Amino acid sequence: AKTKLRKPILHDGEEDPDEFERNFEQEYLDVVPSSIVGLMFHREDFHEHVLQGLSKRLMQMGVETTRSLYNLERLEKAEAQRKEE
C-alpha cells in the first residue's frame, strides 16, 4: 500500500519543552480540503490549559510524537522496499 509520510514541523531530535503541542504538529502536504475544522478559544490563555495540557499529558504517557511516527514510517517504508528488491 502506498502511504504518504507525515511531515513533522520539528526536526529530528528536536523537542519543544515550552510548547508541548508542537511535538505533535505536522505540515499538511496534500491539496487543501474544501472545508477545515479547527478550534477557537475565546480566552487567549485557554489554549494553554487545553492543547498544552493535553500534549504534556500525552508525552508523559509515552504517546509517540509526530517526529517519532515519521521516523518509524520511514524505516518501515525502507524495509518494505528492501524486501521487494
Side-chain angles (χ1 to χ4, degrees):
K2 193 172 187 178
T3 62
K4 287 186 179 181
L5 294 176
R6 297 171 178 92
K7 177 97 166 99
I9 62 168
L10 298 178
H11 298 289
D12 202 9
E14 183 180 15
E15 283 191 0
D16 192 333
D18 297 321
E19 297 181 46
F20 291 101
E21 71 274 13
R22 289 176 46 85
N23 297 299
F24 297 95
E25 288 183 34
Q26 57 185 304
E27 199 174 317
Y28 190 73
L29 301 174
D30 208 349
V31 177
V32 177
S34 58
S35 63
I36 297 174
V37 176
L39 299 172
M40 185 172 115
F41 299 101
H42 293 289
R43 287 188 3 223
E44 247 180 70
D45 64 339
F46 196 60
H47 80 280
E48 292 177 19
H49 299 291
V50 176
L51 297 178
Q52 287 186 345
L54 178 59
S55 299
K56 183 176 182 177
R57 188 169 165 204
L58 290 172
M59 294 207 46
Q60 290 170 340
M61 292 170 53
V63 172
E64 298 288 336
T65 64
T66 304
R67 171 50 67 180
S68 59
L69 290 172
Y70 176 81
N71 290 341
L72 176 63
E73 192 169 351
R74 265 189 6 205
L75 288 172
E76 288 174 346
K77 187 175 182 179
E79 179 67 21
Q81 286 175 346
R82 187 184 65 74
K83 286 181 179 180
E84 287 177 2
E85 296 170 353

